[in-house]
Amino acid sequence: MGKQLNVALIGNPNTGKTSVFNALTGLNQKVGNYPGVTVDKKQGVCKLSRGVKANILDLPGTYSLNASSLDENVVIELLLNKNDKDYPDVALIISDVETLKRNLLLFTQIKDLKIPTILVINMSDLMRRKGIALDIELLEEKLHTKIALVSTRKNNGMEGLKQLIENYKTISIEPCLDTTIIDEDYFKSLQKAFPNQDIYKLWLVITQDANFGKISRQELDISRFKTKSNQELKHLQQKEAIKRYQFINGVLNKAQTIDRSKATGLRSKLDRLLIHKVWGYVIFFLILLGIFQAVYDWATLPMDIIDSSFASLAEWVKVSFPGGGKVTDLIAEGIISGIGGVVIFIPQIAFLFLFISILEESGYMSRVVFLMDRVMRRFGLSGKSVVPLISGTACAIPAVMATRNIENWKERLITILVVPFTTCAARLPVYLIIIALVIPDNSVMGLSYQALTLMGLYLIGFGMAIFSAYILDRILKTKHKTFFVVEMPNYKLPLIKNVLITVIEKTKTFVLEAGKIILAISIVLWVMASYGPGDKFNNAESYVNKNSTFQSNYELNDQIAAFKLEHSYIGIVGKTIEPLIRPLGYDWKVGIGLVASFAAREVFVGTLATIYSVGSASEDEETIKTRMENETYEDGTKVFTLASGISLLLFYAFAMQCMSTLAIVRRETKSWKWPILQLTGMTAIAYICALIAFQTLK
Amino acid sequence: MNSFIQNIIISIVVLLALIYLFRKQLWRSVKDKKNCGNGGCGC
């Protein structure tokens, strides 16, 4: 087995850390969690020469080693714990060429921990355009390090970086700053109390939050040393930052020249427009409109192909293996329909994440966050609530966890409670099938009604989140506001590789995670739909024959299939709740979908696919959409009309149908009170809105 | 295929599906949902 190195990627947020990680590891990466906390842990492998492998760990972005959030704690915990299996042999500090000064604060802190540290200056291709010149040799000498100038966009400098990683032992571990200059008396007495310990490490342990101090404080037995008050420690931390910036300024004055006259002012011009108090919102709205239109236009063809392919496959299985009996039916109607219900949404989900990823990569998403902060404040939310609300469009779980950086408890609680209103990816399949059924496929000024409806649903979800926050703010009486700080990264052309990795990762997660649940539920539902108690289910043929006036075999078989479904186990469940949902415009089959999707809403489409497959004896290759379109009540009226469709869309927009989100809310609030309130409140809102919509539109 | 064998096969498949749902998903989602949270996971 070859030699293995541990390499940690550390840097401020938005410096291109993930781009460097992707460039080093390609697709050899996996995402996990740090033990005890729910911060993403991204690891990957980079092959160096002579069989040496580097385990690359992409640590959460941090501005300094003075932690104020759980994400930052993860970085410090690792760097202070030499026994950690991921403790780095070498640290790569990723800095953006334009924000070198700010990044060097973190660099000097890590360097002072005596870890071999390489300074990676990313986006070096922009140096000339920004009028920046660096004396690399002088920087290396002053900072006692090796520097790699890279451009992940142009794929420059990566080989040089790999060589530096391989030769990490040649890098000096001499610290940048003599820690004692912060406060001579204090640090000398500290050193005296712990002569065998590294003084800067000790200082970090003393000043950091007790959250991670539980490991290191015990090891170091800090009680032997009489430390200062919290206020005095904070003062010393400020003094440390000043000393470090004095050192950094001294270095950069000699090694860096910036000629602003050579820099182009594109960023400021774009910012003036994109975060303008009127045009900013107009542009954001137009971008959203374009995205939803493209999602619809581009995904239609592959979706149609997938839909008809699965219908053909199910039919082929039935025709080719008639001797299999019920097992063949299980494969054709349960498993293939279930898988088809997942796979069909891959094109739209992939396209949506493609656009979201492009917006994030280009730096525009930070402008959106800034723009929306103005709106948020009026509704009692923190500016920091914008990030969870926007990330909630992917999944409510990380969004709820992203509220951890909101310091004020009540603002955080409100954000947690309203985040599930934003349209997550799991709602998308439900929206898409219902929209396709009830919204006409026409367009106005080149914009399809279907795309506009989808966009409307996203806006309704967001609007309801803000409205609920406003109400909760009045009830919970939030008094303290937090400050909102967001960094505006430079605009840049999105890296195709990064965008594609995001799209592949998100789509893969949807197919594998949601897909497995949908498939399992589809199988259970098929059995519940194919078996039933009592005489009516077992002797369905004779019951139908007795009352039937149909002539053809096809019509008769269809009647038998429908009769059996009605008297199957699942039919009984659907029929039981029908009185409750009939005022909303749903029949008992939709009711089955609603019950099944209370654990996870994306199950709805798979459930209907299974139910309508079982309930049809058609020999034709009918798609799920066609079957749902043709579904009628006993009096011949259609089940899926504009009124019932809008009612169903609103129900799914507002109902809390995700057990995992409830579990995470329980964990974050440490109480069952809030998830129960969330479940009942959201379900009540969903029911009332759906009821009003159906009764008004019918 | 014999009707008895068909029922046996279907019972095994359903049992596996139920075990998966309750042990791996519902139970674990409350205890420790490690791989959740990357979007589109149905949460």
Side-chain angles (χ1 to χ4, degrees):
Chain A
M1 207 171 88
K3 201 182 152 195
Q4 295 220 344
L5 301 177
N6 278 344
V7 180
L9 292 191
I10 309 168
N12 293 182
N14 297 315
T15 50
K17 212 157 48 67
T18 304
S19 300
V20 174
F21 178 74
N22 287 340
L24 285 172
T25 61
L27 280 172
N28 297 320
Q29 46 180 271
K30 60 176 182 180
V31 181
N33 283 76
Y34 288 98
V37 287
T38 40
V39 176
D40 268 358
K41 180 181 188 177
K42 278 179 87 175
Q43 279 182 303
V45 176
C46 170
K47 284 181 188 161
L48 305 172
S49 65
R50 297 191 297 272
V52 181
K53 278 184 183 173
N55 292 322
I56 316 279
L57 182 61
D58 186 9
L59 288 161
T62 179
Y63 289 102
S64 72
L65 291 186
N66 305 323
S68 60
S69 70
L70 286 171
D71 287 20
E72 291 178 337
N73 260 351
V74 165
V75 180
I76 301 162
E77 256 188 42
L78 176 69
L79 297 179
L80 290 181
N81 187 4
K82 276 192 175 175
N83 297 325
D84 193 308
K85 68 176 174 51
D86 293 323
Y87 185 80
D89 295 302
V90 54
L92 305 188
I93 312 300
I94 317 297
S95 168
D96 174 346
V97 72
E98 278 195 277
T99 53
L100 188 57
K101 186 173 166 181
R102 194 186 62 208
N103 281 275
L104 283 179
L105 176 73
L106 178 67
F107 170 85
T108 59
Q109 285 187 307
I110 291 167
K111 190 84 178 58
D112 291 357
L113 287 170
K114 294 179 183 164
I115 297 168
T117 308
I118 298 168
L119 179 62
V120 182
I121 302 178
N122 193 15
M123 303 181 208
S124 59
D125 54 315
L126 298 177
M127 277 170 64
R128 187 179 289 180
R129 208 188 324 155
K130 301 285 176 189
I132 300 169
L134 292 172
D135 184 340
I136 299 296
E137 274 182 33
L138 188 65
L139 265 179
E140 285 185 335
E141 186 195 320
K142 296 280 181 193
L143 299 172
H144 316 296
T145 188
K146 292 285 178 193
I147 294 176
L149 271 179
V150 304
S151 165
T152 46
R153 180 180 320 281
K154 310 239 167 176
N155 207 16
N156 288 340
M158 298 313 294
E159 286 309 311
L161 175 60
K162 285 181 189 175
Q163 277 180 10
L164 286 178
I165 294 172
E166 210 171 329
N167 301 320
Y168 75 95
K169 284 188 177 163
T170 62
I171 299 165
S172 161
I173 53 165
E174 193 182 331
C176 289
L177 197 77
D178 174 9
T179 313
T180 55
I181 65 165
I182 300 170
D183 184 317
E184 268 196 40
D185 292 344
Y186 178 75
F187 281 93
K188 277 186 179 164
S189 64
L190 184 65
Q191 187 73 85
K192 210 171 152 188
F194 303 97
N196 299 324
Q197 296 291 342
D198 180 84
I199 193 160
Y200 188 60
K201 194 174 164 182
L202 268 174
W203 166 239
L204 285 180
V205 171
I206 292 168
T207 53
Q208 298 315 313
D209 183 68
N211 195 21
F212 65 86
K214 67 188 174 196
I215 303 167
S216 307
R217 280 175 195 227
Q218 280 167 6
E219 274 177 17
L220 293 166
D221 189 14
I222 210 77
S223 59
R224 279 161 47 204
F225 176 72
K226 191 178 179 305
T227 188
K228 297 199 175 202
S229 70
N230 276 351
Q231 206 176 353
E232 284 168 323
L233 285 175
K234 277 209 158 65
H235 177 66
L236 285 186
Q237 276 186 303
Q238 288 162 1
K239 229 173 140 184
E240 182 199 344
I242 292 167
K243 293 283 178 196
R244 286 191 186 279
Y245 272 120
Q246 282 173 348
F247 169 76
I248 293 163
N249 284 337
V251 172
L252 290 182
N253 281 343
K254 289 173 187 156
Q256 184 189 45
T257 50
I258 302 175
D259 186 352
R260 291 285 175 208
S261 63
K262 288 181 184 171
T264 58
L266 183 67
R267 177 188 160 139
S268 52
K269 280 180 193 164
L270 273 175
D271 272 349
R272 269 202 295 274
L273 185 66
L274 295 179
I275 54 178
H276 188 270
K277 57 185 176 183
V278 177
W279 294 116
Y281 294 102
V282 173
I283 291 168
F284 179 49
F285 186 77
L286 290 175
I287 288 174
L288 275 186
L289 208 61
I291 288 174
F292 290 118
Q293 182 65 33
V295 164
Y296 258 95
D297 285 350
W298 298 357
T300 307
L301 183 66
M303 282 180 82
D304 285 346
I305 294 170
I306 293 169
D307 201 11
S308 53
S309 303
F310 272 90
S312 307
L313 182 64
E315 195 53 38
W316 178 81
V317 169
K318 275 186 169 181
V319 172
S320 306
F321 306 99
K326 283 188 172 170
V327 176
T328 303
D329 289 346
L330 169 66
I331 295 167
E333 293 167 359
I335 296 175
I336 294 176
S337 294
I339 296 173
V342 179
V343 175
I344 193 170
F345 296 105
I346 289 177
Q348 275 172 328
I349 285 168
F351 281 128
L352 186 68
F353 282 115
L354 175 80
F355 290 116
I356 290 175
S357 173
I358 289 171
L359 293 185
E360 279 175 354
E361 277 275 312
S362 64
Y364 178 66
M365 206 53 114
S366 301
R367 272 78 188 175
V368 172
V369 169
F370 177 77
L371 202 63
M372 297 311 289
D373 178 56
R374 293 174 190 160
V375 182
M376 293 292 165
R377 294 247 161 233
R378 294 178 189 178
F379 294 93
L381 283 166
S382 158
K384 288 182 178 178
S385 309
V386 182
V387 179
L389 286 176
I390 287 180
S391 64
T393 54
C395 177
I397 299 278
V400 168
M401 292 190 297
T403 60
R404 287 179 178 192
N405 68 350
I406 302 172
E407 291 86 355
N408 183 287
W409 165 242
K410 280 186 181 172
E411 285 178 352
R412 186 174 167 223
L413 180 65
I414 291 175
T415 312
I416 288 173
L417 293 177
V418 304
V419 148
F421 278 120
T422 51
T423 302
C424 68
R427 282 187 175 99
L428 202 54
V430 184
Y431 287 172
L432 296 173
I433 192 85
I434 306 295
I435 287 173
L437 278 172
V438 300
I439 305 294
D441 193 12
N442 301 332
S443 60
V444 54
M445 291 190 297
L447 293 165
S448 83
Y449 289 140
Q450 297 189 338
L452 286 170
T453 310
L454 184 63
M455 189 176 129
L457 285 163
Y458 271 78
L459 294 178
I460 281 174
F462 201 68
M464 184 54 93
I466 291 177
F467 176 71
S468 310
Y470 179 76
I471 302 291
L472 285 168
D473 184 46
R474 292 288 171 277
I475 298 168
L476 296 170
K477 303 274 179 221
T478 306
K479 281 179 185 161
H480 306 285
K481 301 285 176 199
T482 49
F483 296 102
F484 176 52
V485 181
V486 62
E487 187 183 336
M488 299 281 195
N490 286 323
Y491 292 105
K492 49 185 189 265
L493 280 175
L495 271 182
I496 295 171
K497 189 178 177 182
N498 285 355
V499 171
L500 288 181
I501 286 176
T502 309
V503 171
I504 292 168
E505 276 296 317
K506 302 277 186 195
T507 314
K508 200 171 84 183
T509 315
F510 171 77
V511 174
L512 296 181
E513 292 300 318
K516 281 188 278 189
I517 312 173
I518 294 171
L519 181 60
I521 289 184
S522 296
I523 292 169
V524 175
L525 288 173
W526 178 86
V527 171
M528 287 177 73
S530 303
Y531 292 87
D535 187 47
K536 280 193 171 172
F537 181 86
N538 294 322
N539 298 312
E541 285 167 31
S542 56
Y543 274 95
V544 173
N545 278 329
K546 218 185 285 174
N547 303 321
S548 177
T549 52
F550 294 99
Q551 298 298 315
S552 74
N553 272 347
Y554 161 67
E555 283 174 326
L556 192 64
N557 286 341
D558 225 15
Q559 278 296 302
I560 294 168
F563 189 86
K564 276 187 135 180
L565 181 64
E566 200 176 333
H567 295 92
S568 64
Y569 289 111
I570 205 155
I572 293 165
V573 174
K575 286 273 180 187
T576 310
I577 64 158
E578 198 177 17
L580 199 65
I581 56 168
R582 203 57 190 257
L584 310 184
Y586 318 147
D587 71 344
W588 57 275
K589 286 186 184 176
V590 178
I592 295 166
L594 286 183
V595 171
S597 60
F598 249 90
R601 49 177 75 87
E602 70 280 17
V603 167
F604 180 74
V605 178
T607 305
L608 292 191
T610 309
I611 291 165
Y612 289 118
S613 298
V614 177
S616 167
S618 168
E619 296 290 325
D620 301 329
E621 293 172 8
E622 274 188 307
T623 63
I624 165 73
K625 196 185 139 198
T626 325
R627 283 182 182 152
M628 288 170 77
E629 262 170 4
N630 297 335
E631 191 66 15
T632 55
Y633 287 109
E634 282 160 6
D635 61 5
T637 54
K638 290 208 168 203
V639 172
F640 293 100
T641 59
L642 182 69
S644 64
I646 298 286
S647 160
L648 202 51
L649 286 172
L650 287 176
F651 188 86
Y652 272 88
F654 301 141
M656 178 69 187
Q657 291 165 297
C658 181
M659 282 195 39
S660 305
T661 302
L662 288 170
I664 210 84
V665 171
R666 152 79 182 85
R667 198 168 74 183
E668 293 295 312
T669 59
K670 296 183 175 63
S671 156
W672 276 113
K673 183 173 93 177
W674 299 113
I676 289 170
L677 178 84
Q678 202 171 28
L679 176 68
T680 48
M682 287 179 73
T683 310
I685 291 172
Y687 190 89
I688 293 166
C689 290
L691 181 72
I692 293 170
F694 181 72
Q695 297 300 333
T696 316
L697 293 171
K698 74 172 181 181
Chain B
M1 198 190 288
N2 185 312
S3 162
F4 177 72
I5 297 172
Q6 285 177 28
N7 286 336
I8 293 283
I9 294 172
I10 290 167
S11 307
I12 291 170
V13 173
V14 173
L15 199 66
L16 288 174
L18 284 171
I19 290 171
Y20 175 77
L21 282 174
F22 283 95
R23 267 196 71 80
K24 294 285 179 188
Q25 294 302 325
L26 305 184
W27 179 76
R28 248 185 77 189
S29 68
V30 180
K31 288 274 180 188
D32 181 15
K33 185 92 179 168
K34 280 191 174 175
N35 290 320
C36 190
N38 292 311
C41 57
C43 311

